[in-house]
Amino acid sequence: MVVWRYPVILAVLVVAYWVMISVGNPIQSNKVQGSGDRIVIAAPLQVVLAFGDRYLAANFETIRLASTGMNVNRNTGEVDGQYLLRGHLAVSELNSCHEDNYYLANALLAWGGAEASANGILKAAMQCRHWDFFPAFLYGFNQYFFKRNVPEAQRALEV
């Protein structure tokens, strides 16, 4: 009887994870006007579903965001990327050092019209990854290109 205890617990947790992803977030509704069926589970719930490992939860969410892609809203004809913004912010909350997160946030969010949120993610990555020059370079470039904030861009590029 003891031998089957762990597989049963694992099966129950997998089913609970699947139900929460299918139904949505019971804590906070992340559906936005026009986002269709795209949901993002809140960061604390993702940590619980990843058995307490916030880095694993960040990896799962980044993989999901990279693989799902963007949808075009059939009513307006615009790219529907609000769930990407919410997802990358959740990953940044889980692990601000996540390399794929700041690459994708800069590529998709900054050039998709959400440069303020992308710069926030890059700034958190810049503070966390002090040995890496790339988040500072991207942050400085975005400050100059999007906001024409030359002193902030120089400060970031000097880092």
Side-chain angles (χ1 to χ4, degrees), residues 121-140:
I121 292 171
L122 287 171
K123 194 169 188 177
M126 188 171 68
Q127 292 171 356
C128 182
R129 297 177 65 94
H130 52 82
W131 67 91
D132 190 3
F133 72 94
F134 211 63
F137 171 76
L138 293 173
Y139 177 76

Side-chain angles (χ1 to χ4, degrees), residues 88-109:
H88 285 293
L89 289 174
V91 172
S92 181
E93 184 181 334
L94 290 167
N95 181 9
S96 59
C97 289
H98 201 283
E99 188 172 5
D100 292 337
N101 186 45
Y102 74 78
Y103 279 131
L104 290 171
N106 185 63
L108 298 175
L109 299 179

Side-chain angles (χ1 to χ4, degrees), residues 61-112:
E61 185 65 17
T62 304
I63 291 168
R64 189 185 70 81
L65 289 171
S67 65
T68 56
M70 289 193 218
N71 285 344
V72 176
N73 191 341
R74 293 180 182 160
N75 298 332
T76 62
E78 296 176 354
V79 173
D80 188 18
Q82 285 294 322
Y83 78 98
L84 282 173
L85 175 62
R86 294 187 320 269
H88 285 293
L89 289 174
V91 172
S92 181
E93 184 181 334
L94 290 167
N95 181 9
S96 59
C97 289
H98 201 283
E99 188 172 5
D100 292 337
N101 186 45
Y102 74 78
Y103 279 131
L104 290 171
N106 185 63
L108 298 175
L109 299 179
W111 294 95

